Amino acid sequence: QKKHPEWSREDCENIAKRRIWIGMTYDMLIYQRGKPNTINPSDYGNGVEYQCCWDDYTPSCFYMKEDNIIYSYN
């Protein structure tokens, strides 16, 4: 938590245990996995949304809006 004081203790423990959850931030995911292999932006009229995918992990793809908060994954 010293490296990321903006994250809660619980968030840091979950990241250390390699847990994934809805509501985690893209920065937390990057800290846990490194940068994704692909990032696909899309805009269907409600603002830009992103699909970020890692080839060697399960779940592999994560979805977020411009706020960088994960709202879905598969």
Side-chain angles (χ1 to χ4, degrees), residues 28-43:
M28 292 172 180
L29 198 53
I30 295 296
Y31 187 83
Q32 193 180 88
R33 293 185 167 201
K35 292 188 178 182
N37 297 98
T38 59
I39 299 175
N40 303 307
S42 60
D43 188 347

Side-chain angles (χ1 to χ4, degrees), residues 10-68:
E10 181 181 5
D11 289 342
C12 292
E13 288 172 358
N14 284 331
I15 291 166
K17 293 176 183 175
R18 307 202 53 80
R19 292 185 177 146
I20 302 294
W21 68 95
I22 300 297
M24 73 185 303
T25 67
Y26 178 67
D27 289 339
M28 292 172 180
L29 198 53
I30 295 296
Y31 187 83
Q32 193 180 88
R33 293 185 167 201
K35 292 188 178 182
N37 297 98
T38 59
I39 299 175
N40 303 307
S42 60
D43 188 347
Y44 299 107
N46 293 326
V48 179
E49 297 187 19
Y50 300 91
Q51 176 194 53
C52 303
C53 298
W54 284 260
D55 294 341
D56 298 328
Y57 287 94
T58 301
S60 60
C61 293
F62 293 79
Y63 304 87
M64 63 186 175
K65 296 183 180 179
E66 291 179 312
D67 62 4
N68 289 336

